[in-house]
Amino acid sequence: MVWKMAKVSDFKRIGDDKVTAIGMGTWGIGGKEFPDYSKDRESIEALRYGLELGINLIDTAEFYGAGHSEELVGKAIEGFNREEIFIVSKVWPTHFGYESAKKAARASAKRLGTYIDLYLLHWPGDTWKKIEETLHALEELVDEGLIRYIGVSNFDLELLRRSQEAMRKYEIVVNQVKYSLMDRTPEETGLLDYMKREGITLMAYTPLEKGILARNKCLAEIGKRYGKTSAQVALNYLIWEENVVAIPKASNKDHIKENFGAMGWRLSREDRERAKLCV
């Protein structure tokens, strides 16, 4: 059976691809540092539900559940048109290095059962030499067709610039960082503005601060004017920026449906400023 994805109008660009402004994060799905098989069926069903709604962006990593998160993503996408889905995974710093990164990427692709659209360096790691070797290894993996785009995660402005300069053939298209109404570090450090100028997408993780912003009464008051919840206001604050996508955790169908409702509209500039005062 071939599953259909609904049509969504709220897209952002990563490279030459269009991804939904809200994606599905999988940290904790299938376990954290170690595999957890207790909620596999629920997790797969939740991810499939998101795909059916039309969300086409899924974020995972080899570190999540020691690879089990990737396995669940691979099962969730079965039956869907692979070309309509954008999968992000990441290499952990212990696997940085020319050969190690290639081996890690191949292992991730095997668990996913498919190629990887965007492959990120998960954290900066210990040495610049290892980062540079890894970036060059990933460029070769693009040539091989195992991955399609290269990005980084948790890189500050200086390290992002340095990484850009190190690239030989391809560009860094994403920097995934923590960004929320409670943590506006990318705005305060100039990282967000720099990435706008460079055409680099900011992928915001922990955008709801583990549920804290979903319970914010001030944001809920703003949301009433739009028929939206506090969580939807908090997510819309982020995707209001032209180069920002958010990846809240896709823990269950109810949360995914609520996250989906953060798309297709925008806060007014005035209400967006008011939202800053809520935290």
Side-chain angles (χ1 to χ4, degrees):
M1 182 177 182
V2 177
W3 292 80
K4 298 274 188 180
M5 296 174 67
K7 299 299 180 184
V8 178
S9 60
D10 205 339
F11 286 98
K12 303 295 181 80
R13 286 221 165 259
I14 293 181
D16 293 325
D17 288 50
K18 292 196 304 182
V19 301
T20 44
I22 300 293
M24 295 187 285
T26 63
W27 162 242
I29 292 175
K32 295 185 178 180
E33 288 87 352
F34 302 99
D36 178 358
Y37 305 97
S38 63
K39 295 183 178 180
D40 281 7
R41 177 178 290 184
E42 179 184 346
S43 298
I44 292 169
E45 289 178 353
L47 290 169
R48 291 177 74 82
Y49 176 69
L51 291 171
E52 289 164 13
L53 286 176
I55 299 173
N56 75 342
L57 171 63
I58 304 177
D59 175 82
T60 187
E62 66 169 358
F63 182 74
Y64 301 169
H68 188 46
S69 170
E70 291 175 321
E71 292 172 341
L72 293 179
V73 170
K75 290 177 181 178
I77 66 173
E78 289 177 359
F80 288 92
N81 183 344
R82 175 63 182 91
E83 292 183 359
E84 293 182 357
I85 302 170
F86 195 94
I87 297 175
V88 183
S89 194
K90 314 177 195 74
V91 56
W92 193 247
T94 53
H95 291 151
F96 282 8
Y98 189 76
E99 293 299 336
S100 295
K102 284 187 172 184
K103 183 178 179 181
R106 293 190 177 104
S108 286
K110 184 177 181 179
R111 286 188 290 268
L112 288 163
T114 184
Y115 60 89
I116 302 166
D117 291 287
L118 172 64
Y119 201 49
L120 309 177
L121 280 66
H122 204 149
W123 286 89
D126 297 328
T127 68
W128 168 249
K129 182 180 178 182
K130 287 284 190 180
I131 291 173
E132 191 172 37
E133 286 180 2
T134 302
L135 290 171
H136 294 162
L138 267 51
E139 288 189 300
E140 292 195 5
L141 292 179
V142 173
D143 288 336
E144 292 176 20
L146 189 74
I147 67 176
R148 297 181 58 236
Y149 297 108
I150 299 167
V152 295
S153 182
N154 298 297
F155 277 36
D156 62 18
L157 181 52
E158 180 181 354
L159 194 53
L160 176 59
R161 281 174 172 157
R162 194 173 181 185
S163 299
Q164 286 178 286
E165 293 169 357
M167 302 299 281
R168 293 169 173 169
K169 298 176 65 177
Y170 300 103
E171 296 180 351
I172 288 174
V173 298
V174 163
N175 186 13
Q176 184 180 122
V177 297
K178 188 173 183 293
Y179 181 31
S180 74
L181 265 169
M182 287 178 63
D183 186 350
R184 300 200 296 275
T185 303
E187 297 175 17
E188 296 160 356
T189 60
L191 179 65
L192 176 60
D193 284 340
Y194 175 79
M195 289 172 63
K196 280 184 193 175
R197 293 193 300 271
E198 293 292 303
I200 301 172
T201 300
L202 189 154
M203 194 171 287
Y205 71 81
T206 320
L208 296 175
E209 294 290 345
K210 299 181 179 178
I212 294 174
L213 292 173
R215 300 186 293 271
N216 186 292
K217 293 181 180 179
C218 175
L219 293 176
E221 285 300 312
I222 294 174
K224 285 180 181 179
R225 291 195 275 276
Y226 301 85
K228 299 295 180 179
T229 66
S230 52
Q232 290 167 338
V233 171
L235 291 172
N236 197 267
Y237 173 88
L238 301 177
I239 66 172
W240 196 93
E241 296 284 359
E242 63 186 29
N243 69 322
V244 175
V245 300
I247 48 169
K249 185 178 176 181
S251 54
N252 60 59
K253 291 182 180 180
D254 289 339
H255 285 161
I256 291 172
K257 185 176 182 180
E258 185 175 17
N259 296 341
F260 180 82
M263 294 189 287
W265 61 284
R266 290 294 183 270
L267 290 163
S268 69
R269 189 175 297 275
E270 294 75 20
D271 281 336
R272 192 167 186 268
E273 290 301 312
R274 290 188 186 101
K276 294 179 182 179
L277 303 177
C278 290
V279 297

